[in-house]
Structure formats: structure tokens, C-alpha cells
Amino acid sequence: MPSTESSTDGASVLRTTAPAPSNTPNPPPIYYTWSNLFSILAGNASDKTMRGYLEERDTVMEESDCKRCEKHRDFLLQYSPIVHFMKGEIAKQGGELNSKNIICRRCPTDQTGGFTLQHGILLCANKLRDRSSVEDTLAHEMIHAWDYLKWKVDDNNLRHQACLEIRASTLSGECRFTREFFTRKQFKITEQLQSCVRRRATLSMLARPGVKDDVHAAKIVNEVWDSCFSDPRPFDEIYR
């Protein structure tokens, strides 16, 4: 099924809160049909049909998506090296992340996750395909959590926010070569990591209040690039 690349943080950190599960009965699907699926796969669907299909699909599959996400989350908390490491580093800063404040929900936006000090980590169950994508998003948000606990981050300072996104994309593993090559069809060989981090940090910045357009977002990322890309803390080196 055709898809576009989503930023890990599709919304401002300030505005990223966990949507409450819906208990309201849903009307019968209009777009979520086999005929629309086939037209999407064939590349013949209109943008309206594609959006409608995906929105209704996410509503119909909300419960199973969240259960799958929670299963992946619990496995990663126990067995993922990067998640286990970040959990320990966050604890050293006085924070705690566990299954109670890492929650899976259906998200209506293009984000795949989010973080706030007040609520913890949000995983967008309807946007995460498999355990690997859950791991990348969880690691990304855990790096945000560490940065917020370690430093005095100003949510209204766009340079601070750009630095957060550069570090999270660099250190989470979401920009490793295999992910770029096989999943996102990015075939650049030289400076692949830098190219991916710049692209994804700029994409995340586009959703921040005060960012005018992609040119403005790229400018902010470039202003803090050297210092933020070269800082691997709390790792000894960049995790790949």
C-alpha cells in the first residue's frame, strides 16, 4: 500500500498527549472496503478515497492495533538492548519509564509517537507496522525523555527543539542503513546517516508552532547541526 514518510514526532512535544480510547459506536465503514483497497494497491484511488480508507481502517482496527503495539512494547522493555539501556540511563536522571507510562493509542495525525514529562511516551499503534518500527519510535522518544531530564529544554526555543530531533534521529537507530535502504527506499550510500537525520529532523520541525515552511525548518536544523549531531550522550558512540 502506498505510504508517505512520517516524522516520529508529528506534533509539538507540548501538544503531544495520549488520545483517550474511544467508547463511542462507530458508523458502518464507507471507505474501508475491498474495492477501495484494490484501487489503492493499483494506484487508482483518489486522495479522498485513500484518506477515508486509512482513517476508517484505523478506527475499525484500533483494538487489535493497540494490543499488538502493547505486546511489542512489553517485549522490547525486556529484551531490546537500546530500550533497556535507555531505561537505565533515564533512571539515573531520576525518571522512570514502564508499561504504565508508555502507552499505545490510535493517533489521528501522521506522527508515530510523542513524549511529555507529564504523560510519558505515546506510541501511535495505527502507524507502527512491526516490532522494529515500535523499537525505533520507542528509542527515539526515550532519547527525548533523557534530554528533558538532563538539560533545561525550552519548548518555545526552536533551536532546542531542532537539537532534540537531530539527537533522537541520530541515536535511536531509525536512520541505520538497512532501514533507509529497504523500508524508505533511500538509496544514497555516501553520508547516508547525515542525510537521513537532516531529512527526518526537518520533517519533525515542520509540525512545530512557529516554523513557517520546510526552508525555515531546514535553516533551524542547520544552525545547530554541528554540536547536536556530534553529541552521542548518553552513548559512548552513535548507535547503529
Side-chain angles (χ1 to χ4, degrees):
M1 184 180 302
S3 64
T4 56
E5 183 177 4
S6 298
S7 62
T8 303
D9 302 309
S12 163
V13 172
L14 282 174
R15 294 186 288 114
T16 302
T17 57
S22 174
N23 295 318
T24 304
N26 297 305
I30 298 174
Y31 292 98
Y32 188 51
T33 64
W34 283 109
S35 60
N36 281 338
L37 173 60
F38 289 140
S39 66
I40 291 172
L41 293 174
N44 298 323
S46 67
D47 289 343
K48 180 180 178 181
T49 296
M50 185 176 296
R51 286 195 303 270
Y53 178 92
L54 294 175
E55 288 173 2
E56 288 188 356
R57 179 265 168 215
D58 289 348
T59 300
V60 170
M61 301 298 292
E62 179 176 6
E63 183 177 357
S64 61
D65 284 346
C66 288
K67 286 182 178 179
R68 183 185 67 247
C69 173
E70 289 165 357
K71 181 179 179 181
H72 291 329
R73 174 203 63 194
D74 294 343
F75 178 93
L76 293 168
L77 283 171
Q78 187 170 1
Y79 297 111
S80 167
I82 188 171
V83 171
H84 189 268
F85 173 79
M86 286 305 306
K87 190 173 184 294
E89 292 300 310
I90 288 167
K92 292 177 184 177
Q93 300 299 325
E96 181 180 3
L97 286 172
N98 52 49
S99 59
K100 293 181 179 179
N101 57 8
I102 302 174
I103 59 174
C104 296
R105 291 285 187 273
R106 173 172 61 90
C107 297
T109 62
D110 286 336
Q111 71 189 100
T112 58
F115 166 78
T116 65
L117 284 171
Q118 295 80 14
H119 300 284
I121 288 176
L122 166 66
L123 298 175
C124 296
N126 55 317
K127 306 296 183 181
L128 299 170
R129 299 173 300 278
D130 49 31
R131 184 187 295 163
S132 179
S133 60
V134 175
E135 182 177 40
D136 286 348
T137 300
L138 182 52
H140 183 111
E141 302 304 338
M142 292 179 94
I143 292 165
H144 281 338
W146 188 87
D147 281 350
Y148 266 85
L149 292 168
K150 179 69 174 179
W151 316 111
K152 292 182 179 180
V153 178
D154 182 352
D155 287 317
N156 297 312
N157 188 316
L158 293 178
R159 291 167 64 92
H160 285 196
Q161 298 306 311
C163 193
L164 291 178
E165 297 303 338
I166 291 168
R167 282 177 40 75
S169 290
T170 303
L171 300 173
S172 65
E174 69 188 27
C175 277
R176 58 189 176 276
F177 177 79
T178 52
R179 172 69 72 186
E180 282 286 272
F181 191 91
F182 294 108
T183 303
R184 303 189 186 113
K185 309 304 180 185
Q186 299 289 330
F187 303 122
K188 186 175 182 179
I189 301 299
T190 59
E191 296 188 345
Q192 171 272 328
L193 176 64
Q194 292 92 325
S195 177
C196 173
V197 172
R198 283 185 185 276
R199 187 183 73 251
R200 292 186 64 77
T202 301
L203 186 62
S204 289
M205 288 302 295
L206 278 172
R208 309 280 177 178
V211 176
K212 301 174 184 177
D213 49 33
D214 55 348
V215 175
H216 186 204
K219 180 177 182 293
I220 299 166
V221 168
N222 286 335
E223 287 174 355
V224 297
W225 176 263
D226 289 341
S227 59
C228 299
F229 180 76
S230 62
D231 183 0
R233 289 177 291 181
F235 300 90
D236 292 328
E237 58 184 6
I238 294 175
Y239 177 82
R240 308 226 181 188

